[in-house]
Amino acid sequence: MTWTVPPIAPERLPGLLAAMPKAELHLHIEGSLEPEMIFALAARNGVALPYASVEALRRAYAFTDLQSFLDIYYQGAAVLLEEQDFHDLASAYLARAAAENVVHAEIFFDPQTHTARGVDMGTVIRGLARACADAPARHGISAALILCFLRHLSEREAFETLEAALPYRDQFIGVGLDSSEVGHPPEKFARVFARCRELGLRIVAHAGEEGPPAYIWQALDVLKAERIDHGVQAVHDPALMRRLADGRVPLTVCPLSNQKLRVFPDLARHSLPRLLDAGLCATINSDDPAYFGGYVNENFRAVFAATGLRAEAAWRLAANSFEASFAGNAAKRDWTQRLQDCFERWHDDKA
Ligand code: HPA
Ligand code: ZN
């Protein structure tokens, strides 16, 4: 099916960006843990926090790079102990996403952050999966889980994590790779991901956030990643750009994350417009919205304002998010039709 993008007046673009249906494909559920919820869960679970107040905690969110963020992010997750905590966290995110016209979310979780503290794998997955299963009825959106391996830990620990998760195999659709990138190339996990492919899991990987284009090549050729999370460093490698464009390999781009972790000197110099110009299947996502200053709509608003992207790009990014998702073709067609309807309403001034 071919779609035509109705013209939209520039002053109506910010409203359209918020109103249009979209999928979110790069969201770490632990990164949606708001400071208020950290304090509420700490009180509920009797966990001591090294911060006196929500404001003091927020003041610590002054990151200089990926590692400076990860240190605080893992510390925040320490308040998550019970199945209900994981459920409440995911349910709060899904309510927020639905309010921003996200129609489908594929959600990362980091089990090793929790099992290392003595939390059982089943506690984590059951809580998150229950919130996802309830999402259509409660929030009017669909949701699925992707288990991420922490790449700063060993291959053996990744295998142990996979083993522990296998009793819950039907509760997650795929696996990813996150945490400290530089020094931990995708090939370190070649055998784990080969096993995951045998198990029929979908494959994604963070690559080219701070790491070089070589890590994106490895994610594609060694891990056989179907999507690249971030991937914004691909612009430094023309052959890689052609490979990503020709293969329609999606990139899940997170503008505010890149700004906060200083991947680009400022948002105006973000590589997103170059990725779109080169015909890549780029999408916009929020990564860790509680830490980076905005959920998905704020990511759209900020990057459009900073780079001057226009309505055609809005259409492309939302349509890409559906194409890039692991949902079925019928759902993708339905969402794309809803995108078309939304653009027509905004074009006709009826919205
Ligand atoms: N990169 C790597 N690991 C992460 C991120 C990220 O952006 N967010 C949460 N864990
Ligand atoms: Zn991420």
Side-chain angles (χ1 to χ4, degrees), residues 23-36:
E24 176 145 66
L25 307 175
H26 185 158
L27 176 284
H28 302 263
I29 200 62
E30 295 88 352
S32 72
L33 184 51
E34 293 284 348
E36 290 78 6

Side-chain angles (χ1 to χ4, degrees), residues 63-74 152 179-182 184 210 261:
F63 315 119
T64 51
D65 58 12
L66 175 58
Q67 193 60 49
S68 66
F69 154 69
L70 290 170
D71 294 342
I72 289 207
Y73 160 85
Y74 294 131
H152 69 276
S179 191
S180 320
E181 183 180 11
V182 174
H184 302 284
E210 289 184 339
L261 304 188

Side-chain angles (χ1 to χ4, degrees), residues 26-28 69 108 177-179 206 209 229-230 252 254 257 287-288 292:
H26 185 158
L27 176 284
H28 302 263
F69 154 69
F108 295 142
L177 186 64
D178 66 0
S179 191
H206 283 54
E209 178 184 15
D229 297 311
H230 294 296
T252 61
C254 306
S257 167
D287 207 6
D288 302 283
F292 298 146

Side-chain angles (χ1 to χ4, degrees), residues 193-263:
F193 277 73
R195 177 73 188 122
C196 291
R197 293 197 306 277
E198 281 172 11
L199 290 163
L201 288 157
R202 310 303 299 252
I203 306 293
V204 301
H206 283 54
E209 178 184 15
E210 289 184 339
Y215 284 19
I216 304 178
W217 284 108
Q218 282 183 23
L220 296 171
D221 292 337
V222 180
L223 305 187
K224 318 278 186 212
E226 300 170 77
R227 286 198 305 247
I228 299 295
D229 297 311
H230 294 296
V232 291
Q233 304 298 346
V235 289
H236 302 298
D237 183 337
L240 177 58
M241 291 288 275
R242 282 194 295 278
R243 165 84 183 270
L244 294 167
D246 293 348
R248 293 295 293 160
V249 180
L251 301 190
T252 61
V253 176
C254 306
L256 290 175
S257 167
N258 296 156
Q259 180 186 41
K260 289 288 193 291
L261 304 188
R262 304 190 187 171
V263 170

